[in-house]
Amino acid sequence: MRVLLVGGGGREHALGWKLAQSRTITDLIAVPGNPGFAQLGACVPGIDILDPEAIVDLALANAIDLVVIGPEQPLAAGVVDALTAAGIRAFGPTRAAAQLESSKAFAKAIMKRAGVPTADWQAFTNIDEAVDYLATVDPPYVVKADGLAYGKGVLVTEDLIAAQGWARLCLAGEFGDAGSKVVVEEYLPGQEVSIFAICDGTRAVALEPARDYKRHRDHDKGPNTGGMGCYSPVAGLPDDLVDRTINEVINPVLDEMSNDGIEYRGFLYAGLVLTDEGPKVLEFNCRLGDPETQVLLSRLNEDLLELLVSAAEGYLPDGPLMWNDSAAVDIVLTAAGYPDKPEIGRAISGCNEVNSMPNVHVFHANTRRTPDGLVTAGGRVLNIVATGPTITDARDLAYDAASHIHFGGIHYRRDIAQP
Ligand code: AMP
């Protein structure tokens, strides 16, 4: 089977690594891919992954049997719609289905109709109405740009003036079209957890929970980032959390969308808060998390390609997925200046050495191959994923491996998967 993978971050390197192990794969190419993925298959440069027709042309030219889409932007741009119209099998939601992530107001409306617990909310397009409404609710205030704002469109604050200012910024165009509507949401107190599922339009099968670390520095200090590390399995979660999320959140949402003629096929990621009243949804994402993908795929005992083909065709196999007993820990190595202005172009050493260590994988996120060797090319540079019999073993191995990687300005958290 010939597979085209769309995307070029750490998540896509890990997806490619797992797909490459399939019994049925014959060829794997990525657009744009990255220097880590290049060890697995060809990387196609120079194609805009937000251009549906360009992806269709690439898939046709390479007689692709399945296109797998990693990030959310190509989904919201309608890449799956164009592929499907051209008769090419694709794994990922259509543009209409991807509104679960690309429009918070859409997601809220579906959840309300499906009876899925979520924070109360109001959407506004008028600045004065948003500002007046905020003055009537209790702090903390949660104000969100409605559309895809690369994770930057959310403000949670105790300060009414700041909350009103954020609503003004959004509606005045700070986030472009993503902020043409703002959502003011009830604050949900409680522990945050993400649950991931593979959906085939009518049914969903859950992945194991993983815990990620969003803040830049140890002990959850510093600014929010795309993710500084992750581990799985996660101890101490309610036993029924995954089943409840599938039965009370994911399946009702799939049913409600299906009633509207929208079949959701693809990964679905529910961001939850465990409140005193049970799990409530913060947000949906139409893709796997990064770095959660890197640890989850390191533990998955399934042929990922067969799973994705069956989901894309609407018949996921019955029963839970198989996982190996090992624990996995991912440490994200970042560049100086991240998350604001990462320094790029710094020489990286140690990758080959670390890749040859047993039970360790280096997944590339933002690297570039130059005539002089590998260099940094963005904020999150590399993921070091280690597996072991326990979280402690995996963590110790991951930190040992990370200590062999060097580049100017390297920064990583030292407390990933610490009890
Ligand atoms: P989002 O992009 O919607 O996941 O929001 C980013 C982060 O803001 C979340 O991971 C939460 O930490 C926080 N957040 C968003 N919405 C709420 C809410 N309604 N209550 C509490 N925290 C929230």
Side-chain angles (χ1 to χ4, degrees):
M1 196 166 280
R2 299 172 62 84
V3 178
L4 169 63
L5 179 60
V6 177
R11 169 183 47 215
E12 287 75 29
H13 185 185
L15 280 166
W17 169 79
K18 191 68 185 169
L19 289 167
Q21 296 166 33
S22 166
R23 285 181 286 271
T24 51
I25 197 152
T26 54
D27 281 284
L28 177 60
I29 62 177
V31 53
N34 67 36
F37 179 92
Q39 314 286 320
L40 303 165
C43 296
V44 184
I47 288 185
D48 177 3
I49 63 168
L50 302 186
D51 178 349
E53 291 315 316
I55 303 293
V56 167
D57 290 347
L58 182 65
L60 288 174
N62 288 279
I64 293 297
D65 300 299
L66 179 73
V67 181
V68 178
I69 290 124
E72 66 275 23
Q73 295 88 354
L75 300 167
V79 165
V80 170
D81 306 61
L83 289 163
T84 308
I88 302 160
R89 196 196 278 132
F91 179 77
T94 59
R95 185 209 296 252
Q99 289 178 96
L100 270 188
E101 175 169 3
S102 66
S103 166
K104 294 189 193 297
F106 175 89
K108 290 288 191 185
I110 291 282
M111 282 190 272
K112 186 167 187 186
R113 277 167 37 208
V116 170
T118 182
D120 285 339
W121 65 287
Q122 296 264 1
F124 299 92
T125 51
N126 178 287
I127 293 181
D128 293 335
E129 285 174 19
V131 164
D132 290 349
Y133 176 75
L134 276 162
T136 67
V137 299
D138 293 329
Y141 307 96
V142 181
V143 186
K144 303 181 174 185
D146 180 64
L148 291 182
Y150 301 92
K152 297 199 172 119
V154 178
L155 182 71
V156 181
T157 177
E158 294 276 343
D159 180 348
L160 175 61
I161 303 297
Q164 291 172 324
W166 193 257
R168 272 203 189 89
L169 268 185
C170 290
L171 290 171
E174 175 75 12
F175 300 106
D177 281 351
S180 56
K181 206 184 274 174
V182 291
V183 170
V184 177
E185 212 172 83
E186 169 199 13
Y187 178 81
L188 296 179
Q191 188 190 347
E192 280 184 50
V193 194
S194 300
I195 301 290
F196 301 93
I198 302 177
C199 306
D200 71 359
T202 52
R203 283 181 330 117
V205 43
L207 305 186
E208 291 244 308
R211 174 157 294 150
D212 74 337
Y213 293 76
K214 286 279 181 236
R215 296 298 188 104
H216 185 244
R217 295 200 312 275
D218 289 4
H219 312 302
D220 288 332
K221 300 272 180 356
N224 259 328
T225 69
M228 297 295 293
C230 186
Y231 68 91
S232 174
V234 183
L237 293 175
D239 286 343
D240 60 352
L241 177 65
V242 172
D243 286 346
R244 270 187 88 171
T245 307
I246 294 292
N247 295 330
E248 296 174 20
V249 174
I250 310 267
N251 282 339
V253 163
L254 294 188
D255 285 349
E256 199 58 47
M257 292 179 76
S258 172
N259 289 342
D260 287 349
I262 303 174
E263 295 240 304
Y264 190 104
R265 293 181 184 178
F267 293 116
L268 184 55
Y269 158 158
L272 307 173
V273 178
L274 306 183
T275 71
D276 293 342
E277 297 158 27
K280 291 193 179 183
V281 176
L282 269 190
E283 61 162 351
F284 287 116
N285 291 309
C286 294
R287 50 177 166 86
L288 285 183
D290 181 345
E292 291 93 333
T293 307
Q294 291 85 316
V295 298
L296 291 175
L297 296 185
S298 298
R299 297 192 51 231
L300 182 66
N301 256 353
E302 299 276 352
D303 187 315
L304 182 66
L305 178 53
E306 287 179 6
L307 263 183
L308 301 192
V309 167
S310 59
E313 295 193 338
Y315 61 87
L316 268 174
D318 285 330
L321 301 178
M322 304 292 288
W323 299 86
N324 62 45
D325 289 335
S326 61
V329 172
D330 181 2
I331 296 160
V332 180
L333 310 185
T334 65
Y338 179 71
D340 295 331
K341 270 209 162 139
E343 260 178 38
I344 60 171
R346 296 297 198 103
I348 303 171
S349 64
C351 281
N352 290 343
E353 187 189 337
V354 170
N355 260 329
S356 66
M357 293 170 70
N359 303 322
V360 180
H361 296 288
V362 179
F363 292 119
H364 291 228
N366 276 292
T367 64
R368 195 161 61 82
R369 182 76 59 196
T370 71
D372 296 330
L374 197 64
V375 301
T376 65
R380 292 193 292 168
V381 178
L382 294 168
N383 300 262
I384 309 295
V385 179
T387 53
T390 66
I391 291 279
T392 306
D393 295 312
R395 183 183 65 227
D396 290 349
L397 182 56
Y399 276 111
D400 179 29
S403 72
H404 292 84
I405 304 268
H406 300 283
F407 55 84
I410 187 170
H411 164 81
Y412 51 93
R413 280 182 62 155
R414 311 286 160 160
D415 65 343
I416 302 302
Q418 291 285 355

